[in-house]
Amino acid sequence: MYRVTREIHFCYGHRLLNYDGKCRNLHGHNGRAVVTLEGPALDRLGMLVDFSHIKGVLQKWIDETIDHKMLLHRDDPVLGYLQQKGEPVVVLDVNPTAENIAKLIFDHANSQGLPVIEVRLWETENCYATYTGD
Ligand SMILES: [Zn+2]
């Protein structure tokens, strides 16, 4: 088996609903997604997936969809206000935890045909969450 890994850096804001800690307040992170692809065979160039292809698919989507946006649960009471003011928000059916953001990125990579096996989302220098699919 071969594996390739690409890191994608982005900034996001969020807060957690029904949470008794600092993350219940609106705040932001410098996130780092570490995306790993795996497959048994290489192409004629000797690559599993070209790093630039991963960038073209995933970094572009992250830049357009998540980067410098507020990620909020659909029940977050501040959502209506931000949308009314034209602020960019990403609405999730789940709390915007590192775990769920890792899954969001994983699912998009998967939907684009990338043979993703793991997304690790570093939320801080010391904490990360990993999603590896079902
Ligand atoms: Zn946070």
Side-chain angles (χ1 to χ4, degrees), residues 52-71:
S52 65
H53 179 66
I54 304 170
K55 182 181 181 183
V57 171
L58 268 188
Q59 176 124 37
K60 183 173 184 292
W61 179 76
I62 287 173
D63 285 350
E64 292 172 356
T65 310
I66 305 175
D67 188 41
H68 283 82
K69 306 256 185 354
M70 287 299 296
L71 278 60

Side-chain angles (χ1 to χ4, degrees), residues 17-132:
L17 282 190
N18 305 313
Y19 180 75
D20 188 22
K22 283 199 294 188
C23 276
R24 73 175 183 272
N25 302 322
L26 292 168
H27 65 283
H29 292 284
N30 293 314
R32 186 158 63 94
V34 182
V35 180
T36 299
L37 314 181
E38 182 183 271
L42 304 181
D43 66 14
R44 62 183 175 78
L45 295 171
M47 298 175 182
L48 177 65
V49 178
D50 192 335
F51 290 119
S52 65
H53 179 66
I54 304 170
K55 182 181 181 183
V57 171
L58 268 188
Q59 176 124 37
K60 183 173 184 292
W61 179 76
I62 287 173
D63 285 350
E64 292 172 356
T65 310
I66 305 175
D67 188 41
H68 283 82
K69 306 256 185 354
M70 287 299 296
L71 278 60
L72 296 172
H73 188 286
R74 63 181 154 82
D75 294 336
D76 195 303
V78 81
L79 185 60
Y81 178 79
L82 290 177
Q83 287 176 324
Q84 182 194 346
K85 295 296 181 186
E87 293 293 332
V89 288
V90 178
V91 182
L92 303 177
D93 291 335
V94 290
N95 247 343
T97 57
E99 292 87 333
N100 283 322
I101 297 168
K103 182 179 188 304
L104 188 71
I105 295 168
F106 184 102
D107 288 347
H108 181 74
N110 203 29
S111 77
Q112 297 303 302
L114 294 174
V116 59
I117 58 158
E118 179 179 291
V119 173
R120 175 163 292 175
L121 195 283
W122 286 85
E123 187 167 85
T124 69
E125 279 182 23
N126 303 315
C127 303
Y128 65 75
T130 305
Y131 182 71
T132 58

